[in-house]
C-alpha cells in the first residue's frame, strides 16, 4: 500500500527525528566504553554497507549501481559528511551532549542563507528571522551558563564551532545533489555516502592516535588477564549504533528529499528536545537548569520558524524549480514538502510530483 504524499512527509520526519536523537545518545554512551570515535563511525558505515549488499543479494531491495558521473558530486558531499561526523564525535568525546545540540541549533541561521543564495529560495521572513534570532539568543545564554566555557573559554568550543560550519554546508549541498542527481532508489545515496565515507574515517582515526590507543587498551586487558578484550556493554552499544546509524542513513535522505535544506536542518534541531530530556536522566555530565532553559529557548525559536518559499521565475506564467516546469497550482512556494510553524508544528504542503533525486520506486 502506497503512502500519500502527506503521510510520506510525516513518516520521513518522525523516522529521521527518532534516529537522529537516538544516535547522539547511543554514540555518547558507546564512546564511554569504546573511546575511538572514528573507528566507531567506520564500523557503523560498514554495517550500513553490509545491510545494503545483503538486501540486494537476496533480492530484498533494489540498489543503484556505482556510476562514475555520480561519484563526483557525492565525493564532495562525502568530504563534508566525513568531516562533520568526525567533528561531531570529537565534540561528544570532549564535551556534553547539550553543547553539540546548541551549536547544531545555530545551523539553520547559516543554512537559511545558503538556501537563499544557492538553492533558489526567498530570504526568510521577519517572523523567521525573529525565530532564528531567538535560537541565537538561547545559544548565547547557554554558553554563559556552561562551566566549560567559563573555565576554558573559546577553546572548549573549537570542535563544536567547526561542526557548525561543516554541517551547514553539508545540509545545503545535500539538498542540491538529491535534487540534481538522478538516483532511482533510496539506497543509492546511502550506498554512495557510506562507501565514500569510511576511508576518510580511517584516516581520521590515524590522525587522532586511535590505533595506538586501541592497541594499548587491548594489550593492557590481555596482560591483566581480563576475560573480554572489549567491554561487553560497549559492544552492545556499538551494535545498536550500527542499527540506528543505518536507519539515519535512509531516513535522513528520505526526509531531505521532502523538505528544504533549512527545514531539514531545523527538524534535526527540534527533535533534540527529547534527546536532552533523556540525557538528563542517564548521564551525569549535563548543563545547569539555566542552561537547559536557554536551550529550550532555542527550540521555541525553531518551532516558530517558517520555511521560506521558492523564488518565483516568471516564464510563460509557470513557476520553476531546478529547471523543472509545472503549473502554478502544482508548483507552489512550499513545494519541498514541509513548513515549520507554531500550530500545528508540521504543516505539510507536499506536492504530488516525484522528487528528482529519488524516484518513487525506491521508497
Amino acid at each position: 500500500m502506497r503512502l500519500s504524499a502527506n503521510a510520506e512527509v510525516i513518516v520521513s520526519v518522525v523516522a529521521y527525528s527518532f534516529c537522529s536523537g537516538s544516535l547522539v545518545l547511543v554514540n555518547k554512551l558507546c564512546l564511554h566504553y569504546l573511546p575511538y570515535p572514528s573507528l566507531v563511525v567506520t564500523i557503523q558505515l560498514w554495517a550500513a554497507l553490509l545491510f545494503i549488499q545483503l538486501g540486494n543479494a537476496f533480492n530484498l531491495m533494489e540498489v543503484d549501481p556505482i556510476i562514475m558521473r555520480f561519484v563526483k558530486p557525492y565525493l564532495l558531499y562525502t568530504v563534508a559528511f566525513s568531516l562533520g561526523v568526525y567533528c561531531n564525535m570529537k565534540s561528544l568525546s570532549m564535551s556534553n551532549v547539550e553543547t553539540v545540540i546548541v551549536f547544531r541549533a545555530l545551523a539553520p541561521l547559516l543554512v537559511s542563507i545558503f538556501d537563499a543564495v544557492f538553492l533558489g529560495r526567498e530570504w526568510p521572513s521577519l517572523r523567521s528571522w525573529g525565530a532564528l534570532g531567538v535560537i541565537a539568543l538561547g545559544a548565547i545564554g547557554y554558553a554563559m551558563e556552561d562551566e566549560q566555557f567559563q573555565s576554558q573559554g573559546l577553546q572548549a568550543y573549537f570542535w563544536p564551532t567547526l561542526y557548525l560550519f561543516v554541517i551547514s554546508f553539508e545540509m545545503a549541498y545535500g539538498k542540491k545533489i538529491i535534487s540534481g542527481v538522478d538516483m532511482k532508489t533510496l539506497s543509492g545515496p546511502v550506498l554512495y555516502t557510506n562507501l565514500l565515507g569510511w576511508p576518510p574515517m580511517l584516516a581520521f582515526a590515524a590522525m587522532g592516535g586511535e590505533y595506538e590507543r586501541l592497541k594499548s587498551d587491548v594489550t593492557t586487558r590481555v596482560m591483566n588477564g581480563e576475560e573480554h578484550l572489549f567491554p561487553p556493554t560497549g559492544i552492545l552499544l556499538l551494535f545498536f549504533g550500527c542499527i540506528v546509524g543505518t536507519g539515519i542513513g535512509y531516513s535522513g535522505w528520505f526526509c531531505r528529499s521532502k523538505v528544504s535544506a533549512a527545514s531539514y536542518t531545523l527538524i534535526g534541531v527540534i527533535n533534540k528536545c527529547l534527546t536532552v530530556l533523556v540525557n538528563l536522566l542517564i548521564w551525569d555530565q549535563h548543563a545547569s537548569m539555566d542552561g537547559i532553559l536557554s536551550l529550550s529557548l532555542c527550540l521555541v525559536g525553531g518551532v516558530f520558524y517558517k520555511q521560506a518559499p521558492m523564488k518565483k521565475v516568471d516564464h510563460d506564467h509557470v513557476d520553476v524549480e531546478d529547471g523543472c516546469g509545472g503549473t502554478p497550482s502544482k508548483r507552489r512556494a512550499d513545494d519541498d514538502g514541509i513548513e515549520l510553524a507554531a500550530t500545528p508544528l508540521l504543516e505539510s504542503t507536499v506536492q504530488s510530483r516525484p522528487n528528482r533525486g529519488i524516484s518513487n520506486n525506491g521508497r
Side-chain angles (χ1 to χ4, degrees):
M1 179 179 177
R2 179 176 173 77
L3 297 176
S4 66
N6 287 352
E8 285 186 345
V9 171
I10 295 174
V11 169
S12 70
V13 171
V14 171
Y16 171 65
S17 297
F18 173 78
C19 292
S20 178
S22 300
L23 191 60
V24 171
L25 291 173
V26 171
N27 279 342
K28 178 65 177 179
L29 292 171
C30 184
L31 289 176
H32 179 71
Y33 296 95
L34 302 172
Y36 324 108
S38 297
L39 294 179
V40 167
V41 172
T42 300
I43 294 174
Q44 292 174 352
L45 297 178
W46 285 345
L49 291 173
L50 178 62
F51 173 80
I52 293 173
Q53 294 304 315
L54 289 177
N56 187 42
F58 288 97
N59 295 320
L60 299 177
M61 66 173 68
E62 296 183 11
V63 181
D64 289 275
I66 302 297
I67 302 176
M68 288 306 300
R69 65 187 176 92
F70 290 166
V71 171
K72 183 178 180 180
Y74 275 94
L75 184 60
L76 178 58
Y77 174 83
T78 299
V79 172
F81 165 79
S82 300
L83 185 57
V85 169
Y86 181 75
C87 292
N88 182 47
M89 298 298 285
K90 289 290 289 185
S91 298
L92 289 172
S93 64
M94 300 175 64
S95 184
N96 50 33
V97 174
E98 289 87 351
T99 300
V100 178
I101 293 173
V102 165
F103 276 82
R104 178 67 182 271
L106 295 175
L109 285 163
L110 293 179
V111 179
S112 293
I113 296 175
F114 293 156
D115 258 346
V117 176
F118 301 110
L119 299 177
R121 287 196 172 270
E122 298 285 355
W123 289 95
S125 63
L126 291 178
R127 164 183 163 176
S128 294
W129 280 122
L132 294 175
V134 168
I135 295 174
L137 288 176
I140 294 173
Y142 172 85
M144 298 303 294
E145 294 293 331
D146 190 359
E147 293 181 358
Q148 277 193 297
F149 182 82
Q150 295 174 3
S151 61
Q152 302 179 26
L154 295 178
Q155 293 181 354
Y157 290 90
F158 172 77
W159 287 109
T161 300
L162 184 58
Y163 172 66
L164 165 64
F165 285 99
V166 171
I167 199 172
S168 296
F169 170 79
E170 177 195 336
M171 293 295 176
Y173 188 69
K175 179 63 180 180
K176 185 68 175 179
I177 62 175
I178 204 170
S179 299
V181 178
D182 188 22
M183 289 288 180
K184 304 300 182 185
T185 71
L186 189 58
S187 296
V190 182
L191 173 64
Y192 276 72
T193 302
N194 290 17
L195 187 62
L196 296 172
W198 67 262
M201 285 294 105
L202 292 182
F204 286 142
M207 293 167 54
E210 294 182 29
Y211 297 119
E212 292 79 5
R213 189 160 63 250
L214 174 62
K215 180 180 179 181
S216 176
D217 291 345
V218 171
T219 301
T220 300
R221 292 188 179 98
V222 171
M223 294 180 63
N224 292 338
E226 296 186 19
E227 182 180 358
H228 302 286
L229 293 179
F230 301 100
T233 303
I235 298 299
L236 182 61
L237 289 168
L238 179 60
F239 175 74
F240 284 128
C242 290
I243 296 175
V244 180
T246 301
I248 200 173
Y250 278 89
S251 62
W253 283 106
F254 186 36
C255 185
R256 179 179 271 132
S257 71
K258 298 297 179 182
V259 303
S260 72
S263 293
Y264 177 77
T265 308
L266 203 54
I267 291 168
V269 172
I270 292 175
N271 82 76
K272 294 300 187 297
C273 181
L274 179 61
T275 304
V276 173
L277 296 177
V278 175
N279 182 68
L280 290 174
L281 296 176
I282 66 174
W283 204 253
D284 60 356
Q285 185 186 15
H286 56 76
S288 65
M289 183 56 64
D290 289 341
I292 296 298
L293 291 177
S294 296
L295 177 60
S296 299
L297 185 61
C298 294
L299 301 177
V300 170
V303 170
F304 284 92
Y305 175 85
K306 182 178 181 181
Q307 177 172 285
M310 296 298 299
K311 293 178 180 177
K312 295 182 179 180
V313 180
D314 188 10
H315 180 68
D316 294 334
H317 305 289
V318 175
D319 294 337
V320 299
E321 176 192 13
D322 291 332
C324 293
T327 64
S329 62
K330 291 186 178 181
R331 313 274 315 163
R332 288 167 29 186
D334 291 325
D335 64 350
D336 268 320
I338 195 168
E339 175 182 296
L340 300 183
T343 307
L345 179 61
L346 301 179
E347 293 182 0
S348 176
T349 55
V350 183
Q351 306 304 308
S352 59
R353 65 178 177 86
N355 181 273
R356 291 180 60 203
I358 301 174
S359 61
N360 292 336
N361 61 357
R363 293 174 185 158

